[in-house]
Amino acid sequence: MHELSLAQGLIDQLLALADKHQAEKITKVTVIVGPFSGIVTDSFSFGFDALKQEQNPTKESVLVLETPPPEYTCLQCGNCFTSPAGQVQKPRPFSSTLPCPDCGGAHCTAKGGDELILKQLEME
Amino acid sequence: MCDVCGCQLTGTSNKRLVEVNQSLLEANDRQGDANRTHIERMGAVAINLISSPGAGKTTLLEHTIDALGSELRIGVVEGDIETERDADRIRAKGVAAVQLTTGGACHLDAPLVHKGLHALEDQANSKQETAEGKKYDLIFIENVGNLVCPATFYLGEHKRVILVSVPEGSDKPAKYPTTFRGADLFVITKTDLLDYFDFSLDEADKEAGRIQPELEIMHLSATTGDGFSAWIDWLKKLVA
């Protein structure tokens, strides 16, 4: 349950940015949550919505989470491919059980995807 | 735009988009980099030890101190939710130890470790300081017992070591992939219990290797000493 401390960190970042840009309020917050960042998006949103009430600039902020699909590297041929959104295997996202589309190899390991990035803000 | 009739004359609409593109962990990672500089200034290499509660982190450290304490200057930063118990166990071995209590948080973060490193530096006695001001060779940061949350927070460590003990089961790499992904070394502990538990070393090794192909893997029992020398050699190589 470290989502709450990350949400608190995001709120702190938002307050600093609102101050820097002399904005009264932040209306929309877009965050990229990588598929392997270890973040439970529902808990993160829940934490954010609870914490945003405590200060005026974030009271009306709507949190939008973008979740890009995972990328895999085939351990046999080195080919990289993106798992189509519908085919992400939830229980074992780190080693794709989809065969490599290039060589058919069965051992594909996930690459990158641990990012957690504040992408864009809409402010007034 | 005007709230009453929708005209553009009031000119008060101040809506704007700002591209930020900043990591949510930036503040933590920046402090982590500063910690690393601090660790290196003290002359040391640091290891972040991560496992679930009871996997044997402190026991492994006690035996490591027995084996290396006379030739290396070791310091330990202990992370726990409550109590000084782990730090007391380490101090009983004659090694400097700082206890960080998170008061509830499930992981250590870089700002907390920053405090721990300063306290550890203060504990170093003048005998162990070299002419260049180097005080330690090896610093262990024992994270809060948790196989999930500590993986997200970089503390400034040089190497990240994951422990799984035999009673926990060989499915742990498959079930906690995020943690294994960022690791440098995977140590399976309490191998003296293999006869009593349904633990497959082969399954654990294979799953971990599939998640992180470059992961180094060791099997050991700190109490019987089986496989323990590989760990000691790994540490010596790291410090050399």
Side-chain angles (χ1 to χ4, degrees):
Chain A
M1 258 313 288
H2 57 301
E3 280 80 0
L4 196 65
S5 53
L6 288 170
Q8 183 59 58
L10 174 60
I11 297 270
D12 293 343
Q13 232 166 328
L14 295 182
L15 293 176
L17 285 163
D19 195 44
K20 182 179 157 196
H21 293 274
Q22 296 181 319
E24 266 173 46
K25 58 180 177 182
I26 292 173
T27 47
K28 193 169 140 191
V29 181
T30 310
V31 174
I32 304 171
V33 181
F36 311 125
S37 60
I39 303 304
V40 181
T41 50
D42 284 351
S43 307
F44 187 63
S45 299
F46 178 78
F48 181 83
D49 286 340
L51 295 167
K52 74 179 186 182
Q53 309 294 342
E54 289 171 22
Q55 48 286 309
N56 283 327
T58 55
K59 254 191 185 132
E60 295 168 34
S61 301
V62 176
L63 180 65
V64 178
L65 300 180
E66 289 183 2
T67 49
E71 282 182 19
Y72 296 100
T73 303
C74 174
L75 294 181
Q76 235 161 273
C77 72
N79 174 45
C80 298
F81 64 97
T82 302
S83 170
Q87 288 181 283
V88 178
Q89 312 96 39
K90 277 287 176 196
R92 300 182 59 199
F94 283 81
S95 43
S96 173
T97 50
L98 293 172
C100 167
D102 232 32
C103 73
H107 297 295
C108 302
T109 186
K111 68 171 197 132
D114 54 359
E115 69 273 16
L116 192 61
I117 294 167
L118 171 55
K119 183 184 170 192
Q120 191 191 59
L121 295 179
E122 206 174 273
M123 46 176 74
E124 287 178 22
Chain B
M1 130 180 116
C2 160
D3 286 341
V4 180
C5 67
C7 77
Q8 302 289 328
L9 294 176
T10 53
T12 52
S13 176
N14 207 7
K15 209 170 199 139
R16 54 202 193 276
L17 274 181
V18 176
E19 302 294 331
V20 186
N21 290 321
Q22 208 175 53
S23 170
L24 258 59
L25 289 160
E26 196 183 79
N28 181 78
D29 292 350
R30 218 179 314 125
Q31 182 60 57
D33 286 339
N35 288 350
R36 183 140 171 179
T37 308
H38 187 187
I39 290 159
E40 287 172 2
R41 211 177 54 227
M42 287 194 274
V45 173
I47 292 172
N48 183 358
L49 271 183
I50 298 174
S51 81
S52 46
K57 293 186 292 301
T58 314
T59 302
L60 180 67
L61 286 185
E62 287 172 324
H63 287 268
T64 304
I65 293 164
D66 285 343
L68 289 174
S70 57
E71 53 184 297
L72 296 179
R73 295 163 302 170
I74 299 174
V76 180
V77 176
E78 287 283 348
D80 273 302
I81 290 174
E82 272 302 338
T83 81
E84 286 260 338
R85 289 179 190 201
D86 281 359
D88 286 342
R89 282 172 63 183
I90 298 298
R91 286 185 198 118
K93 293 278 174 191
V95 158
V98 172
Q99 181 75 51
L100 299 173
T101 45
T102 64
C106 50
H107 59 271
L108 289 178
D109 58 24
L112 196 56
V113 169
H114 165 76
K115 286 186 197 163
L117 291 170
H118 276 286
L120 198 63
E121 184 163 22
D122 292 344
Q123 277 192 28
N125 60 49
S126 52
K127 270 187 288 176
Q128 71 187 68
E129 189 172 342
T130 64
E132 303 86 46
K134 310 281 192 202
K135 293 173 178 169
Y136 290 98
D137 299 302
L138 186 57
I139 293 175
F140 290 101
I141 304 166
E142 185 181 330
N143 222 308
V144 178
N146 181 335
L147 211 46
V148 186
C149 310
T152 307
F153 299 86
Y154 169 59
L155 305 176
E157 72 269 19
H158 295 79
K159 295 283 178 191
R160 194 175 280 200
V161 178
I162 311 297
L163 267 59
V164 169
S165 64
V166 164
E168 292 171 63
S170 40
D171 57 356
K172 288 301 161 290
K175 288 170 91 172
Y176 298 87
T178 310
T179 308
F180 284 83
R181 211 149 169 256
D184 299 292
L185 172 67
F186 170 31
V187 181
I188 298 174
T189 61
K190 307 188 191 178
T191 53
D192 50 308
L193 301 177
L194 276 169
D195 289 346
Y196 308 99
F197 288 89
D198 185 19
F199 187 103
S200 160
L201 289 173
D202 192 48
E203 182 199 356
D205 291 355
K206 270 199 187 132
E207 287 293 345
R210 210 182 284 194
I211 294 158
Q212 217 279 63
E214 279 159 34
L215 191 66
E216 286 186 72
I217 301 174
M218 288 176 193
H219 310 146
L220 62 82
S221 162
T223 46
T224 65
D226 209 28
F228 192 67
S229 60
W231 161 249
I232 295 298
D233 290 344
W234 186 84
L235 291 172
K236 281 185 179 167
K237 218 169 106 191
L238 196 64
V239 172

